[in-house]
Amino acid sequence: MLKIVYPICCGMDVHKSFLVACIASTNNQGVTTYVSKRFSTFTGDLRKCSAWLANHNCKDVCMESTGKYWIPIYNILEPTCNIVLAHPKYVKAIRGKKTDKKDAKWIADIFKHDLVSGSFIPPADIRQLRDLVRYRWKLTNFTTGEKNRAQNCLTVSNIKLDDVFSDVFGKAATAITTRLLEAPSEKLTNVSAFRTRGMKATDEQILAAVDGEMCVEQAEKLRIIRSHMDGLDLCKANLESLILSVAQKYLSQLELVMTVPGIQAFAAIGIISEIGVDMSVFPTSKHLCSWAGLTPQNNESAGKKKTTRISRAGAYIKPLLVQCALCAIRKKSNPEIRNRYNNLKKRRGHKKAIIAIARMLLTAIYNILKKNEPYNPELYAHINTPPEHRTVSVEEAIFILQRQGYLVTPSAT
């Protein structure tokens, strides 16, 4: 028989305009009674829901994370209740027997036995910082999209600046594009005024690249794109100023995280905004890495492992850590990371090796924040020690060669 962990608890089925709450009260004999009530999601009604829970002496609440609709409810109930936010896949009811009341009752039933895995919800300050950092990431994506559209305008006009410049949006290429937009119908005959230090392309190559035909419509489209990019840059600069002011209270933790190789200021702020600064919410570093989607899945049946791919979790922190790992492996000042990457790359390839380095960085960050100590490369000294030589049999040697792609044939003698 399942043990009842929460004698008085509430299950909530959350929607955009309303929610259905069901309080499950279990007496000493194990008999459970249910009380259901529907509330709108206006702030006044949510306060009535909080008072209703208090009248029934209910402090433990479980609800599913429905889009963004759970956030205002969580904010109202957070001061007075212990809230468990569950992924919908963990609390989904049986198909064909679903109503709003039955869904709320089902959530209460499984929650009273503590069968629901709660999601990690950081404190309010971290949540606000996370929202700002994620918006900065979106603005960066918007800028990248506009750059692609600007490049398309140049491509259809047969202006091949990307063939002679490493960065089409660098200083020299931007100046040439501006000159072309001032008079699209006029041919550019002299580019010596646009030369900058370090430019490798000759004047003849640049003139050949800009010898295209830009119509009036494409020129106007390119002007609009560049104006939008300037606006995005301004918005991003203002947002970064706000992020730095909000992150000021976590300056000591940010300085510790920035001691990890490959992590700069905004990367450290992004990591703190995702995982917080209190590592007691994660039992071990393995739990944190699993939450971030950096560990293999467990999908085994009848003794057969169906897949060991990493999960889709950590949509924001995982790409950030991969970028930090790519930066860390390029630095010769970090042999403990560089050597580990090279060893893994030989056996498993670049993609799996870089995920392993990202997990290594996140494990280091977990211990840094938990112990309040800076990064110590001496802890990874064993990575630099060469492996011990071992003798292999002929069959093992043949297998190793075949795995490397060699064709092994028996000798004629």
Side-chain angles (χ1 to χ4, degrees):
M1 183 176 178
L2 292 174
K3 180 182 178 181
I4 294 178
V5 180
Y6 302 105
I8 303 177
C9 63
C10 179
M12 286 188 180
D13 187 36
V14 179
H15 301 276
K16 179 180 183 295
S17 302
F18 69 92
L19 64 90
V20 178
C22 179
I23 296 178
S25 302
T26 308
N27 58 21
N28 296 331
Q29 287 74 34
V31 178
T32 304
T33 56
Y34 302 93
V35 180
S36 298
K37 195 170 182 179
R38 173 171 166 160
F39 299 91
S40 75
T41 52
F42 288 101
T43 305
D45 231 23
L46 291 179
R47 293 196 181 101
K48 292 179 182 178
C49 177
S50 178
W52 180 70
L53 292 172
N55 292 336
H56 287 79
N57 196 25
C58 180
K59 294 185 178 297
D60 298 300
V61 178
C62 178
M63 61 180 177
E64 61 178 350
S65 56
T66 308
K68 297 288 186 180
Y69 304 137
W70 63 269
I71 297 177
I73 303 170
Y74 190 96
N75 293 337
I76 295 294
L77 300 181
E78 185 179 18
T80 58
C81 299
N82 301 318
I83 307 175
V84 173
L85 186 71
H87 194 284
K89 67 181 180 181
Y90 296 132
V91 295
K92 189 175 182 180
I94 300 172
R95 181 182 295 179
K97 297 183 179 180
K98 279 175 53 46
T99 63
D100 295 333
K101 282 190 175 182
K102 287 184 178 180
D103 283 348
K105 181 176 178 294
W106 170 253
I107 294 173
D109 278 334
I110 59 177
F111 179 58
K112 71 181 181 182
H113 296 294
D114 198 20
L115 298 177
V116 181
S117 298
S119 301
F120 164 60
I121 306 298
D125 293 341
I126 295 292
R127 294 202 300 268
Q128 296 302 325
L129 181 62
R130 173 190 286 185
D131 185 63
L132 295 175
V133 172
R134 289 183 177 183
Y135 182 48
R136 177 180 179 268
W137 185 75
K138 291 291 185 182
L139 289 180
T140 303
N141 291 344
F142 294 156
T143 303
T144 303
E146 290 298 277
K147 286 184 177 180
N148 292 335
R149 295 181 188 94
Q151 178 59 44
N152 289 340
C153 290
L154 297 175
T155 300
V156 299
S157 302
N158 205 29
I159 298 175
K160 297 183 175 297
L161 291 178
D162 56 328
D163 286 344
V164 294
F165 291 102
S166 59
D167 184 10
V168 181
F169 301 93
K171 183 178 180 180
T174 301
I176 293 174
T177 305
T178 303
R179 168 62 181 81
L180 293 174
L181 290 177
E182 291 175 355
S185 59
E186 296 182 7
K187 296 293 183 181
L188 192 62
T189 58
N190 185 11
V191 294
S192 58
F194 303 110
R195 297 199 64 85
T196 59
R197 183 179 179 182
M199 185 187 296
K200 296 181 180 179
T202 62
D203 291 354
E204 291 76 13
Q205 291 174 331
I206 298 174
L207 288 173
V210 298
D211 186 17
E213 297 291 338
M214 180 175 286
C215 62
V216 177
E217 293 79 8
Q218 289 296 327
E220 185 61 27
K221 179 184 175 183
L222 187 54
R223 292 190 192 98
I224 295 172
I225 290 172
R226 296 182 69 182
S227 175
H228 188 202
M229 289 174 58
D230 293 338
L232 288 173
D233 290 340
L234 179 60
C235 292
K236 190 173 179 180
N238 294 334
L239 181 63
E240 288 178 350
S241 176
L242 178 59
I243 290 173
L244 291 174
S245 63
V246 174
Q248 191 69 29
K249 63 170 65 177
Y250 305 108
L251 185 59
S252 59
Q253 291 88 350
L254 290 171
E255 290 176 348
L256 289 175
V257 173
M258 283 190 289
T259 60
V260 179
I263 297 181
Q264 303 298 327
F266 273 99
I269 294 174
I271 293 170
I272 291 295
S273 70
E274 292 294 329
I275 66 176
V277 295
D278 181 16
M279 293 296 102
S280 62
V281 296
F282 299 103
T284 64
S285 61
K286 293 182 179 179
H287 288 79
L288 174 58
C289 293
S290 177
W291 175 84
L294 293 172
T295 57
Q297 297 182 26
N298 287 329
N299 191 357
E300 183 177 344
S301 180
K304 297 180 180 178
K305 290 186 176 180
K306 296 185 178 181
T307 179
T308 56
R309 296 173 65 94
I310 59 175
S311 67
R312 297 172 64 184
Y316 289 90
I317 190 173
K318 184 162 44 179
L320 178 58
L321 288 170
V322 168
Q323 291 178 9
C324 296
L326 290 170
C327 181
I329 62 175
R330 296 190 184 101
K331 293 184 178 180
K332 295 182 180 180
S333 59
N334 308 316
E336 72 282 359
I337 295 177
R338 189 180 177 91
N339 292 343
R340 181 173 176 81
Y341 167 77
N342 290 332
N343 292 336
L344 290 171
K345 183 182 177 182
K346 292 177 183 177
R347 297 185 291 109
R348 308 304 300 273
H350 165 73
K351 291 184 178 180
K352 291 185 177 181
I354 206 66
I355 290 295
I357 299 301
R359 180 178 178 178
M360 176 180 172
L361 296 182
L362 186 57
T363 302
I365 293 169
Y366 173 87
N367 290 286
I368 285 170
L369 293 176
K370 190 170 185 178
K371 300 177 182 178
N372 201 26
E373 298 175 352
Y375 175 79
N376 183 10
E378 297 298 328
L379 298 176
Y380 302 95
H382 65 280
I383 299 176
N384 297 324
T385 58
E388 296 181 359
H389 294 284
R390 65 185 182 93
T391 58
V392 296
S393 62
V394 176
E395 291 79 8
E396 290 176 334
I398 293 174
F399 175 76
I400 293 173
L401 290 173
Q402 290 175 341
R403 191 172 60 180
Q404 296 294 330
Y406 293 97
L407 180 63
V408 181
T409 56
S411 59
T413 57

